[in-house]
């Protein structure tokens, strides 16, 4: 059994990197919610991924890997890039009709999909403790959003598409861990996303061009997305996707904080109970089991 599987140092490093990933993604989502009411989603995504591609090209040029298309596993890399493009496009478009917290909550069916698909796509073993933790986190999510109310059906469909794509993105990243350099994975994703979002962008020009503050916010989305993608690859090289999946719920907590402080949507008592349940569920995966600790103490 590897150190990552036992919850050793590699897994702890992977978990911390993954927390940085979800923090960056949550900030990108909140910024997108702030901007998407004024500017079309295709325009925002094109500028965002243009900045991301510029960072990717600079990184690959600095490492002498600018001809990254010669790498093996090109089919999986293209598929991974398309999944990221679907996530960005569907999520941002859904924010036109849905509040940030509700949209993010639907998005967090992704950990369930990762856990459910990882045994078949990756051959990873998923134990009862992981299923229980993810199920508890899902129940906490239901307490927060209490679906069945006035949630847009179109926004829900878009968010479900983004959810499935994000789960596939994590699984594909884990599948190529150790086989394809992280910078090459990132370069492929940036290029595919730029093409996929850049093609429709000319058909959706902004009614008014952004001022300096909004341009900075849009570019910041691209830079944060770039950093998150690199850290996501590094985290999944250090820990199984199914073990990191419950940490995705930290993104939901941040979405609630942003909703409260940025958009004025404060959680009620049931939502706070849901938050507590999600935190407990995440901690059961973040902390190593007693068996792992006993094994570690007994190792010379």
């Amino acid at each position: 059994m590897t150190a990552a599987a036992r919850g050793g140092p590699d897994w702890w490093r992977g978990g911390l990197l993954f927390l940085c990933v979800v923090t960056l993604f949550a900030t990108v989502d909140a910024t997108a919610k702030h901007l998407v009411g004024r500017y079309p989603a295709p325009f925002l995504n094109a500028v965002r991924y243009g900045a991301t591609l510029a960072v990717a090209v600079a990184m690959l040029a600095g490492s002498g890997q600018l001809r990254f298309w010669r790498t093996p596993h090109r089919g999986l890399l293209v598929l991974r890039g398309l999944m990221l493009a679907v996530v960005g496009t569907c999520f941002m478009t859904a924010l036109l009709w849905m509040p940030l917290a509700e949209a993010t909550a639907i998005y967090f069916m992704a950990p369930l999909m990762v856990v459910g698909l990882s045994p078949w796509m990756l051959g990873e073993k998923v134990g009862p403790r992981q299923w229980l933790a993810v199920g508890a986190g899902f129940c906490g999510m239901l307490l927060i959003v209490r679906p069945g109310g006035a949630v847009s059906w179109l926004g829900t469909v878009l968010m479900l598409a983004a959810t499935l794509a994000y789960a596939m993105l994590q699984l594909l990243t884990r599948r190529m861990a150790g086989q394809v350099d992280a910078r090459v994975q990132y370069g492929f994703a940036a290029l595919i996303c730029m093409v996929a979002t850049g093609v429709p962008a000319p058909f959706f020009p902004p009614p008014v061009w952004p001022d300096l503050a909004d341009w900075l916010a849009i570019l910041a989305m691209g830079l944060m997305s770039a950093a998150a993608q690199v850290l996501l690859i590094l985290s999944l090289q250090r820990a199984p996707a199914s073990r990191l999946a419950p940490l995705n719920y930290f993104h939901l907590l941040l979405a609630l904080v942003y909703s409260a402080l940025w958009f004025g949507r404060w959680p009620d008592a049931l939502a706070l109970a849901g938050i507590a349940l999600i935190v407990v569920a995440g901690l059961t995966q973040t902390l190593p089991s007693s068996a792992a600790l006993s094994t570690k103490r007994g190792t010379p």
Side-chain angles (χ1 to χ4, degrees), residues 75-98:
L76 290 177
L77 286 165
V78 170
L79 180 59
R80 181 182 180 276
L82 289 173
M83 291 299 100
L84 181 59
V86 170
V87 171
T89 301
C90 291
F91 193 107
M92 190 178 293
T93 306
L95 292 177
L96 284 169
W97 296 285
M98 299 186 69

Side-chain angles (χ1 to χ4, degrees), residues 10-291:
D10 282 345
W11 186 87
W12 280 102
R13 284 191 286 267
L16 289 174
L17 287 172
F18 199 79
L19 286 176
C20 293
V21 170
V22 296
T23 299
L24 288 169
F25 279 143
T27 306
V28 169
D29 294 343
T31 307
K33 175 65 176 176
H34 173 69
L35 295 169
V36 77
R38 299 196 298 277
Y39 308 107
F43 166 75
L44 291 174
N45 271 319
V47 177
R48 166 188 172 184
Y49 288 120
T52 302
L53 181 60
V55 174
V57 170
M59 182 185 301
L60 291 167
S63 62
Q65 296 177 300
L66 198 54
R67 297 182 179 181
F68 56 90
W69 55 84
R70 294 183 176 180
T71 188
H73 306 292
R74 287 186 292 273
L76 290 177
L77 286 165
V78 170
L79 180 59
R80 181 182 180 276
L82 289 173
M83 291 299 100
L84 181 59
V86 170
V87 171
T89 301
C90 291
F91 193 107
M92 190 178 293
T93 306
L95 292 177
L96 284 169
W97 296 285
M98 299 186 69
L100 179 63
E102 283 81 350
T104 306
I106 293 175
Y107 187 58
F108 276 89
M109 290 176 63
L112 296 173
M113 295 180 182
V114 170
V115 170
L117 293 173
S118 59
W120 290 272
M121 289 191 63
L122 305 177
E124 295 179 359
K125 184 178 180 180
V126 178
R129 175 178 148 184
Q130 292 164 272
W131 285 111
L132 182 61
V134 175
F138 182 70
C139 291
M141 179 190 71
L142 293 178
L143 285 174
I144 293 170
V145 300
R146 297 184 290 283
V151 177
S152 165
W153 68 267
L154 179 56
T156 299
V157 170
L158 289 169
M159 286 310 308
L160 287 174
T163 298
L164 179 59
Y166 184 54
M168 290 294 297
L169 171 70
Q170 293 192 43
L171 290 167
L172 289 168
T173 303
R174 179 62 183 171
R175 184 170 176 178
M176 290 184 287
Q179 302 180 47
V180 179
D181 186 272
R183 291 164 292 193
V184 173
Q185 289 194 49
Y186 170 58
F188 253 96
L191 178 60
I192 297 298
C193 285
M194 182 66 242
V195 173
T197 60
V199 169
F203 300 98
F204 298 91
V208 178
W209 283 96
D211 57 19
L212 178 60
D214 284 349
W215 272 119
L216 292 175
I218 296 169
L219 292 174
M221 283 200 307
L223 295 176
M224 287 188 291
S225 296
Q229 288 302 316
V230 174
L231 293 176
L232 175 62
I233 293 168
L234 294 176
S235 66
L236 290 170
Q237 287 175 343
R238 288 163 171 77
S242 56
R243 292 294 302 274
L244 292 176
L247 296 180
N248 278 289
Y249 288 118
F250 184 63
H251 187 155
L252 178 55
L253 303 184
L254 290 176
L256 288 169
V257 171
Y258 281 132
S259 291
L261 300 182
W262 197 338
F263 303 106
R265 293 181 59 91
W266 296 92
D268 56 19
L270 282 176
L272 290 175
I275 292 172
L277 185 56
I278 290 172
V279 170
V280 171
L283 286 176
T284 63
Q285 295 299 291
T286 304
L287 300 175
S289 65
S290 56

